[in-house]
Amino acid sequence: MAASFPNVLVFVVVFFFSSRAQQPYINNAQLNCYATNASSALGYSCNGLRPSCQSFLTFRAESPYLSPPLIAFLLSADTANISRINSVPDVATLPAGELLIVPVPCFCSGQFYQHNASYTLKSAGENYFTVANDTYQGLSACQALIDQNHFDSRHLKSGDQIVVPLRCACPTLNQTSAGVRYLLSYLVTWGDDIPTIANRFNADYPSVLAANNLTAKSTIFPFTTLLIPLTTEPTRISSAPSPPPDVSQPSGAGGSSNKWVFAGVGIGAGVLILLGFPSLFFCLWRRRRRRQIQRKKGKLVSSSEDYGGLPFKSSSTPSMTTPSPLASSVIRELLDSMTLTLYKFDELKRATGNFDEDHRIRGSVFRGIFNGDAAAVKRLKGDVSNEINILKQISHSNVIKLSGFCLHEGNTYMVYEFADLGSLSDWLHHKKNIFGDSSTSLTWKQRIQIACDVADGLNYLHNYTNPPYIHKNLKSNNILLSRDFRAKVANFGLARPVEEEEGGSRQLTRHVVGTQGYMSPEYLEHGLITPKLDVFAFGVLLLELLSGKEASFAKEEERREVLLWAAIDDILSGEDVINKLRRFIDHRLGDDYPFELAFAMAELAKRCVARDPAARPNMMEVLVSLSAICNSTLDWEPGDLSNSSPGSTICARLFSPLGS
Ligand SMILES: *[C@@H]1O[C@H](CO)[C@@H](O)[C@H](O)[C@H]1NC(C)=O
Ligand SMILES: *[C@@H]1O[C@H](CO)[C@@H](O)[C@H](O)[C@H]1NC(C)=O
Ligand SMILES: *[C@@H]1O[C@H](CO)[C@@H](O)[C@H](O)[C@H]1NC(C)=O
Ligand SMILES: *[C@@H]1O[C@H](CO)[C@@H](O)[C@H](O)[C@H]1NC(C)=O
Ligand SMILES: *[C@@H]1O[C@H](CO)[C@@H](O)[C@H](O)[C@H]1NC(C)=O
Ligand SMILES: *[C@@H]1O[C@H](CO)[C@@H](O)[C@H](O)[C@H]1NC(C)=O
């Protein structure tokens, strides 16, 4: 690495010299972490007029920090402010090398001005030098890191969280009286010279020299900061990324121009020991426990609009105007907790065969293969932080797992655990399920198991997450089936936390969204949001499982839409209940179901879809009732028309993974 540094220094004489020194230039002192205690490497001293001020940093977009939220995350800055000042959309993926201005507050912290960022070491190869130079591009220096962190610089390990004091400063009295309002910490790169830098920011060349205690003869070095005094807020820098250093032909060597050429110097042995490569933890793929199953040729076939997701208008043109899908605070939290993987877009392209039609499951959902494991990749627009925030903290076998995501050109790509058998609605309502065949339907046992699974997942959401959540969009489209027909609740796009009813205040919305046939009367009519709304939808789901009918369907003879939930009252009351119910139950089951249990399930469903929310059971009660049905079903064998007596074994799974 050191060899790549040209050991050439070129000096160019310019005529101006200012004695109004403000902050000494670091002058490559940062290269030698131990052999010097130049205070210039520790930070800019607190010699300004004020102890704190607005300041600006620069940062060059570099993988993986290619979008404003990620850069904001790294620098403890604000995404919206970065977007605004650089006139780039929040979600833009920037070309590597693009220079961004990053507004940050600057504080006097003891002797030095600084803006604190925090960084968690990702790999064993990282050390104070690589963090300061490679990751932070020179916005900090190893001396400052050593000074302000208690971790022994020689025994750093991944997971250590360090303070990264970023080099900023506030204008001195002299500068302020000259009209300077801000100081910008510019990151010098290959090929830079002070006149050009000054020009770029409309700064006065002598004032830049003075601000850094430089003379016209001085040399500046890449990966160091240069203070630029500004009289107004900086604006977008329209600049092409700098060309790589041309070692053989240092421009300005002839002395005929005022170009400055910069080169590194030899590196002390101490630094060489410290060199390492920060590896990108982002690429780590959380290993799945399950191996990919080899499925026979045959794609998922479905006519349904969505795959546990909101319908997405398929569009290949990336939007540059969409609002931020993720707040930087969310990303920060996610990356810190490292529960989710941040994928690179290239990885997704590779996994999905470049989003090939063959990989399309439906709509904007693609099947991807990551290290041999299948996953569902879903493209979303708009704000998806809600769903990410919820799913990242949920770990339950009956809730679909989010393994990571990727931000790319205004879209968020979510990577979920793969549900091999598609959605429940495919199996219940559509002509073809994934086997391309309509004669196969779900057996009674499978239906009961699915009901129990969904109840388990919902009960977990309502009672065991912190905060508890209401799913708000429960429907058979959003229930996905694993290859052993176990159900997983998906699509948390509309989910929201349960708010405590304090002093009788109730959670209301004017923005009623949902699917016809699943929305409870109090939600439709008054926008009232309580967990009972999910209980209602769950009741509809039970009726779907029983009847094989859709939540709202056209009744041929009456030529009108019928809501499934509205039908159950009639069926279970009046004369001839038994025959009415038999006719209601999915004919594809034939006689292969225990009638008494079906009856019990219908009764439970009826209670769940009661008009009055207070009359509905809560999810815990539903789960208990269902567990009895599930339990009896386990004892029942197809063909066994006499109903079995309830056994004593408990559906073991039902009570297992409560809590986290
Ligand atoms: C401020 O400027 C005055 C003259 O303009 C100079 O004498 C003084 O040394 C300067 N102070 C600093 C801290 O640069
Ligand atoms: C500024 O640089 C000169 C040498 O060029 C040095 O003597 C002086 O101490 C420096 N001032 C500060 C404040 O570092
Ligand atoms: C660095 O500072 C220490 C005390 O803080 C001092 O003993 C040492 O001589 C200094 N080294 C250099 C090279 O200035
Ligand atoms: C964003 O910038 C505004 C004005 O420049 C500032 O007041 C605000 O504090 C900044 N926000 C954050 C989170 O830094
Ligand atoms: C920045 O970090 C340093 C070292 O941990 C701490 O002393 C200082 O108070 C922090 N400053 C701010 C503004 O948080
Ligand atoms: C500092 O970081 C840059 C960019 O990662 C790298 O090219 C350069 O070699 C590093 N400097 C040293 C001395 O390692």
Side-chain angles (χ1 to χ4, degrees):
M1 223 180 200
S4 70
F5 273 76
N7 289 326
V8 192
L9 297 177
V10 180
F11 297 89
V12 174
V13 178
V14 191
F15 322 102
F16 192 85
F17 176 73
S18 167
S19 62
R20 292 179 300 150
Q22 313 289 338
Q23 299 277 8
Y25 177 61
I26 191 167
N27 207 20
N28 250 357
Q30 84 285 355
L31 286 180
N32 206 334
C33 296
Y34 299 108
T36 173
N37 34 19
S39 84
S40 67
L42 295 174
Y44 290 121
S45 57
C46 282
N47 63 3
L49 188 58
R50 290 185 295 142
S52 73
C53 62
Q54 170 76 54
S55 69
F56 299 91
L57 309 176
T58 58
F59 189 80
R60 289 190 174 79
E62 189 172 323
S63 182
Y65 305 100
L66 286 172
S67 65
L70 293 176
I71 293 168
F73 159 68
L74 183 70
L75 303 179
S76 292
D78 180 63
T79 307
N81 280 352
I82 295 178
S83 310
R84 180 178 53 79
I85 209 154
N86 296 287
S87 317
V88 294
D90 274 11
V91 292
T93 303
L94 303 160
E98 178 97 346
L99 186 67
L100 291 178
I101 297 170
V102 181
V104 293
C106 188
F107 289 94
C108 214
S109 173
Q111 232 185 311
F112 302 104
Y113 278 121
Q114 64 192 48
H115 170 66
N116 286 351
S118 93
Y119 182 77
T120 308
L121 296 180
K122 315 298 185 210
S123 78
E126 286 179 302
N127 54 54
Y128 288 135
F129 181 79
T130 63
V131 169
N133 174 76
D134 298 39
T135 308
Y136 284 86
Q137 304 180 1
L139 283 174
S140 192
C142 50
Q143 289 90 340
L145 286 170
I146 292 168
D147 194 43
Q148 298 194 23
N149 286 285
H150 61 271
F151 299 105
D152 181 334
S153 60
R154 289 183 167 106
H155 297 104
L156 288 170
K157 55 187 187 312
S158 76
D160 287 348
Q161 200 183 13
I162 60 176
V163 175
V164 183
L166 302 179
R167 297 166 64 81
C168 62
C170 298
T172 59
L173 177 60
N174 269 4
Q175 287 168 327
T176 306
S177 53
V180 171
R181 293 179 57 207
Y182 310 106
L183 291 174
L184 174 142
S185 305
Y186 175 78
L187 279 173
V188 177
T189 189
W190 301 105
D192 271 344
D193 59 81
I194 297 181
T196 309
I197 297 168
N199 195 30
R200 202 186 241 186
F201 293 98
N202 289 325
D204 173 39
Y205 171 50
S207 77
V208 175
L209 289 180
N212 297 279
N213 195 27
L214 289 173
T215 69
K217 283 199 266 182
S218 313
T219 305
I220 54 176
F221 304 91
F223 311 107
T224 64
T225 56
L226 198 66
L227 289 174
I228 314 293
L230 300 172
T231 52
T232 57
E233 265 206 3
T235 51
R236 184 198 173 101
I237 313 162
S238 44
S239 68
S242 311
D246 186 345
V247 179
S248 60
Q249 280 219 310
S251 62
S256 61
S257 78
N258 62 353
K259 283 261 175 218
W260 292 40
V261 180
F262 310 98
V265 295
I267 308 158
V271 173
L272 281 174
I273 294 164
L274 288 171
L275 293 179
F277 297 93
S279 70
L280 305 176
F281 76 101
F282 303 96
C283 307
L284 297 176
W285 163 253
R286 285 201 315 165
R287 290 246 156 240
R288 281 153 173 269
R289 270 153 273 133
R290 291 192 288 136
R291 281 187 55 240
Q292 172 205 11
I293 67 156
Q294 296 294 340
R295 269 199 291 124
K296 292 204 193 83
K297 228 177 162 202
K299 287 175 284 175
L300 291 171
V301 181
S302 169
S303 54
S304 160
E305 264 303 294
D306 49 6
Y307 176 84
L310 295 168
F312 172 79
K313 209 161 94 293
S314 187
S315 143
S316 54
T317 47
S319 159
M320 293 298 276
T321 54
T322 43
S324 167
L326 285 173
S328 59
S329 60
V330 173
I331 294 194
R332 180 178 189 82
E333 222 179 281
L334 293 177
L335 295 188
D336 276 354
S337 64
M338 287 218 255
T339 56
L340 292 179
T341 305
L342 188 61
Y343 291 94
K344 290 190 181 160
F345 189 62
D346 280 346
E347 294 176 90
L348 299 189
K349 281 210 309 210
R350 232 176 294 125
T352 59
N354 208 2
F355 296 94
D356 187 80
E357 275 308 311
D358 276 358
H359 284 253
R360 194 188 288 276
I361 297 172
R362 76 193 60 170
S364 61
V365 185
F366 294 82
R367 185 169 45 86
I369 304 290
F370 297 84
N371 292 343
D373 285 325
V377 180
K378 178 161 122 190
R379 180 178 51 201
L380 289 164
K381 279 191 175 179
D383 190 343
V384 299
S385 53
N386 187 44
E387 178 158 2
I388 294 186
N389 251 333
I390 296 172
L391 287 180
K392 71 158 198 241
Q393 49 175 320
I394 287 181
S395 171
H396 190 280
S397 58
N398 299 121
V399 176
I400 204 84
K401 273 186 195 54
L402 178 67
S403 74
F405 62 97
C406 165
L407 300 173
H408 182 72
E409 296 190 335
N411 293 319
T412 304
Y413 295 79
M414 308 272 270
V415 181
Y416 300 96
E417 101 180 90
F418 194 68
D420 299 279
L421 298 185
S423 77
L424 176 60
S425 73
D426 287 348
W427 284 86
L428 287 178
H429 309 311
H430 295 295
K431 291 260 166 2
K432 288 178 178 168
N433 52 41
I434 63 154
F435 299 120
D437 130 40
S438 56
S439 56
T440 342
S441 183
L442 300 168
T443 65
W444 172 258
K445 281 195 168 185
Q446 286 166 338
R447 291 176 198 227
I448 294 300
Q449 184 66 66
I450 289 166
C452 289
D453 285 346
V454 175
D456 200 357
L458 276 184
N459 180 50
Y460 171 77
L461 276 183
H462 286 187
N463 298 307
Y464 294 92
T465 59
N466 184 21
Y469 286 101
I470 304 173
H471 184 281
K472 265 192 84 206
N473 197 14
L474 192 70
K475 53 179 174 176
S476 52
N477 277 345
N478 288 340
I479 304 300
L480 304 181
L481 300 179
S482 68
R483 70 189 133 126
D484 50 357
F485 289 97
R486 301 308 295 259
K488 291 169 189 294
V489 181
N491 190 1
F492 285 71
L494 297 181
R496 57 192 286 170
V498 178
E499 277 164 28
E500 293 298 326
E501 265 189 51
E502 279 166 20
S505 77
R506 305 166 114 197
Q507 209 171 347
L508 295 172
T509 181
R510 282 183 201 183
H511 181 60
V512 171
V513 282
T515 304
Q516 164 88 315
Y518 292 95
M519 287 181 287
S520 62
E522 78 280 4
Y523 177 62
L524 264 177
E525 288 158 24
H526 310 294
L528 181 62
I529 299 174
T530 69
K532 291 293 177 69
L533 169 161
D534 282 346
V535 173
F536 183 93
F538 181 74
V540 177
L541 206 67
L542 288 182
L543 294 174
E544 283 184 83
L545 285 165
L546 272 175
S547 69
K549 293 187 170 63
E550 295 189 52
S552 89
F553 59 97
K555 207 166 183 178
E556 288 112 43
E557 61 267 35
E558 295 173 31
R559 302 172 79 199
R560 65 184 175 96
E561 282 278 291
V562 175
L563 298 180
L564 194 55
W565 69 266
I568 192 65
D569 254 351
D570 280 349
I571 291 166
L572 293 182
S573 58
E575 308 268 298
D576 203 17
V577 168
I578 293 183
N579 279 326
K580 281 194 288 187
L581 184 58
R582 280 201 197 281
R583 282 198 299 274
F584 178 73
I585 288 172
D586 196 342
H587 63 270
R588 286 173 293 183
L589 283 171
D591 282 331
D592 268 346
Y593 65 93
F595 183 78
E596 304 244 331
L597 294 183
F599 189 89
M601 191 149 137
E603 283 284 354
L604 176 63
K606 182 185 156 192
R607 285 169 61 214
C608 290
V609 299
R611 259 189 177 276
D612 176 9
R616 292 173 211 151
N618 64 33
M619 222 46 228
M620 182 64 98
E621 290 160 348
V622 171
L623 182 57
V624 169
S625 303
L626 260 181
S627 72
I629 298 176
C630 172
N631 182 22
S632 302
T633 291
L634 286 183
D635 295 341
W636 171 85
E637 287 303 325
D640 175 10
L641 294 180
S642 69
N643 191 21
S644 61
S645 60
S648 56
T649 43
I650 289 186
C651 258
R653 284 203 57 270
L654 289 182
F655 297 108
S656 54
L658 301 176
S660 54

